[in-house]
Amino acid sequence: MERNKMITELKKIVIPELRIRGFKGSFPHFRRISKDKIDLMTFQFDRYGGGFVIEVGVCPSEGITHSWGEKVLPNKVTAHDLHNKFRLKETKGQWFRYDVEYESKNIYEEVANEVLEHLYEAEDYWNMSIL
């Protein structure tokens, strides 16, 4: 139930911003395909509930080929397909948590807005990544 509430707020607050920035895809996987590369973002929820991480990565514009030979096309590749990826808030080693006790009207909205505050980390990573 809480996870669904969190996803609803992410779709309402964060995903429109990703669309403005040129991302396509559907929750939880998003990609921004350009001539030179594909910027990737994936939301991964804690299996025990109450939190999630956001993984970002970059791959060549033609997609990737796994070591066992499976080709992942540009419109199907996700951050999970990559060995090298980065987690937002990684410098603090924190997950985005919505199971904490705050005196808040809407913890889910607050956490979604916190994600917006950390999108610059993803943009920095994508801009600095060398394929």
Side-chain angles (χ1 to χ4, degrees), residues 4 58 90 125:
N4 289 338
V58 176
E90 188 166 282
Y125 179 83

Side-chain angles (χ1 to χ4, degrees), residues 34-87:
S34 67
K35 185 178 82 167
D36 302 329
K37 64 181 179 147
I38 304 172
D39 298 329
L40 301 165
M41 176 178 281
T42 295
F43 293 77
Q44 179 181 334
F45 281 79
D46 182 342
R47 76 176 77 183
Y48 303 108
F52 62 94
V53 294
I54 300 173
E55 294 185 327
V56 298
V58 176
C59 76
S61 59
E62 63 272 4
I64 65 162
T65 302
H66 288 292
S67 60
W68 57 89
E70 178 188 358
K71 172 84 173 152
V72 184
L73 299 174
N75 64 335
K76 297 293 184 187
V77 67
T78 72
H80 291 308
D81 291 308
L82 306 177
H83 293 291
N84 296 325
K85 50 193 164 205
F86 174 78
R87 284 187 175 175

Side-chain angles (χ1 to χ4, degrees), residues 78-116:
T78 72
H80 291 308
D81 291 308
L82 306 177
H83 293 291
N84 296 325
K85 50 193 164 205
F86 174 78
R87 284 187 175 175
L88 300 191
K89 294 178 68 170
E90 188 166 282
T91 56
K92 296 179 182 177
Q94 297 176 345
W95 284 49
F96 292 94
R97 303 298 312 182
Y98 53 90
D99 60 353
V100 293
E101 291 189 28
Y102 285 120
E103 291 184 19
S104 170
K105 229 179 186 183
N106 188 341
I107 185 65
Y108 309 105
E109 181 180 358
E110 286 183 18
V111 172
N113 282 312
E114 182 184 4
V115 169
L116 287 179

